[in-house]
Amino acid sequence: MTVVGERALAPLDALRRQTFASLSNSNYRRYLTGQSISLVGTWMQTIAQSWLVLQLTGSATALGVVVALQTLPTLLLGPYGGVIADRMDKRKLMIGLQSMMGVLALLLGLLTITGAVRLWEVYVLAVLLGLNNSFENPARQSFVLEMVGPTDLRNAVSLNSVLVNSARAVGPAVAGIVIATGGIGLCFLLNAASFVAVVVSLTRLDVSKLNPSTPAPRAPGQLREGLSYVRRTPRLAVPLLMMALVGCLAYEFQVVLPIVASETFAGDARTYGFLTAAMGVGAVMGGLYVAARGRTGMRSMVIGAVAFGVALLFVALSPTLLVALLGMGLVGAASVAFQSTGNSTLQLTAAPHMRGRVMALWAVAFLGSTPIGGPIAGLVSGHFGGRAGLILGALACLVAAGLGAIHVRRESAARAAEVVG
């Protein structure tokens, strides 16, 4: 290769190294490999569960209820889950909880395949899965920093978002094929098997290369201490409030998209899978961009929230399924940019001994708000159509962006006053 050719490729090689910087960490590579398998199974179960509830009830409201039940424990117990994450070895906690999640998926699969499944059983298993999530989520979110350190944190969070949304693209497509050929129950069984991969990956991590935060000693008032810490730290409180709004009404895709697929575009499970997969493809592209070029901070969160809202409006106004699929790609890119930026901003801002509790509140804002937003989105979509559900989410994004912009303006004014003073 000529010198000119080498010089031309040098920027591309540097961009590649920057985009995938955290993969130089062997522990993170093992962790991501296990997650990649498990997340495909998780998205398969998400699609299958939504379609199972529609088959059992034909009700958009029932969809909202099951999603709400699955996330209600995070709303109620999520902050306490953060306290536990700050007290315990996060890796060991994740191994136990991931194993239990596999057992729950296995049970739902057996009930469905045997034809014994009833709606109340889906509800009960959704609550039990939510209980696991309320403790596993803050441990998993804050464990990433212990693997890669602060320098590669944003990159690792962004690549994890790419993985989640790659699974969003692959999982629904696989689910559609599995449902068509083997039935809904097989999706649950395959998800149960996928948890073996993530548990094995966690047991094989090189513990000597981890940088665990010092466990917080058991003491009274730790939950209240975490809430007070966030309340007096606007750089944490405002992003959490923004995510609470967006998470409550804009991320209700499990509720809104089945209605968009079945009623707005007169489709079936495959149409739902295509919409979800299109969002996943867009999210992969957006996540790779954020991993390479993204920034943390409130300004970036505001930009992400505006882009998310505009993309949702685009899909809501789409005249055809093809246009909607293109729009869902934009939704995926904007949503992952907003989510990754917010996650990294919080982790880098929070004190180490408070990180588990802060990320638990992030989970409450992101997932725990669904018990409120899920039924609202289901009610709006059921009465006014899927387009209305998308518009509701868009408005939530734009309001959140407005709140963030006010905070950015106040911080800028405060810094200017300090300079003058």
Side-chain angles (χ1 to χ4, degrees):
M1 183 179 293
T2 66
V3 174
V4 173
E6 291 177 354
R7 288 178 178 174
L9 290 176
L12 292 177
D13 188 54
L15 179 62
R16 178 184 60 79
R17 289 197 302 269
Q18 185 178 3
T19 303
F20 301 102
S22 56
L23 292 182
S24 63
N25 184 301
S26 59
N27 274 339
Y28 189 65
R29 288 199 304 273
R30 291 191 187 99
Y31 170 81
L32 216 61
T33 299
Q35 287 289 313
S36 65
I37 298 171
S38 180
L39 285 169
V40 170
T42 297
W43 278 108
M44 289 175 63
Q45 172 147 336
T46 298
I47 298 295
Q49 180 175 279
S50 295
W51 218 250
L52 175 62
V53 172
L54 276 180
Q55 281 191 353
L56 291 173
T57 67
S59 167
T61 302
L63 272 177
V65 169
V66 74
V67 173
L69 289 174
Q70 190 165 309
T71 51
L72 182 62
T74 300
L75 176 64
L76 299 178
L77 298 176
Y80 184 68
V83 173
I84 299 300
D86 282 336
R87 287 178 180 173
M88 295 184 63
D89 183 315
K90 298 176 181 61
R91 185 182 67 93
K92 292 180 180 179
L93 181 61
M94 290 166 61
I95 289 173
L97 293 174
Q98 291 274 355
S99 300
M100 181 58 65
M101 290 159 73
V103 171
L104 294 175
L106 175 62
L107 182 56
L108 182 56
L110 293 176
L111 286 171
T112 304
I113 281 183
T114 58
V117 67
R118 299 292 182 268
L119 183 61
W120 71 267
E121 293 168 336
V122 178
Y123 284 167
V124 169
L125 290 172
V127 171
L128 293 176
L129 180 59
L131 284 170
N132 270 270
N133 284 332
S134 64
F135 290 91
E136 191 271 344
N137 198 287
R140 173 165 41 84
Q141 296 280 354
S142 52
F143 182 63
V144 174
L145 183 60
E146 297 186 2
M147 282 190 290
V148 303
T151 301
D152 288 330
L153 175 64
R154 178 185 56 78
N155 182 265
V157 170
S158 298
L159 289 182
N160 189 71
S161 295
V162 169
L163 178 62
V164 169
N165 288 285
S166 297
R168 188 200 299 268
V170 174
V174 175
I177 295 171
V178 172
I179 290 172
T181 57
I184 292 175
L186 184 56
C187 288
F188 301 134
L189 295 181
L190 291 174
N191 181 42
S194 75
F195 280 102
V196 175
V198 70
V199 171
V200 169
S201 72
L202 289 169
T203 60
R204 294 186 60 197
L205 294 182
D206 186 347
V207 180
S208 66
K209 294 182 179 179
L210 298 176
N211 295 291
S213 55
T214 303
R218 184 183 298 271
Q222 288 178 312
L223 176 57
R224 187 168 57 251
E225 179 187 14
L227 295 173
S228 177
Y229 172 65
V230 168
R231 188 168 55 249
R232 64 176 183 268
T233 311
R235 287 185 299 163
L236 296 174
V238 175
L240 285 169
L241 180 58
M242 291 175 66
M243 178 49 80
L245 281 170
V246 175
C248 183
L249 298 173
Y251 277 101
E252 305 302 338
F253 298 116
Q254 294 181 60
V255 178
V256 176
L257 287 188
I259 308 305
V260 172
S262 61
E263 296 183 6
T264 305
F265 295 112
D268 54 16
R270 287 175 296 180
T271 309
Y272 176 31
F274 289 147
L275 288 167
T276 308
M279 182 168 61
V281 171
V284 169
M285 302 300 292
L288 289 173
Y289 176 82
V290 172
R293 301 294 189 186
R295 299 180 178 181
T296 58
M298 284 299 306
R299 290 183 184 275
S300 296
M301 283 195 72
V302 170
I303 293 171
V306 171
F308 194 4
V310 171
L312 284 170
L313 286 175
F314 181 88
V315 177
L317 300 176
S318 297
T320 66
L321 178 59
L322 179 60
V323 176
L325 290 173
L326 294 174
M328 287 305 298
L330 298 176
V331 167
S335 66
V336 76
F338 175 75
Q339 190 270 340
S340 298
T341 302
N343 186 304
S344 302
T345 298
L346 286 179
Q347 291 210 54
L348 292 174
T349 303
H353 68 287
M354 289 287 188
R355 191 171 294 120
R357 277 164 279 189
V358 170
M359 297 315 295
L361 292 175
W362 173 258
V364 170
F366 187 24
L367 300 173
S369 57
T370 299
I372 301 170
I376 294 174
L379 189 64
V380 170
S381 299
H383 282 79
F384 304 105
R387 296 183 191 275
L390 293 170
I391 291 172
L392 179 66
L395 292 176
C397 290
L398 296 177
V399 171
L403 292 174
I406 291 172
H407 174 71
V408 169
R409 182 178 300 176
R410 287 178 177 174
E411 277 201 332
S412 299
R415 284 195 297 268
E418 289 179 1
V419 171
V420 173

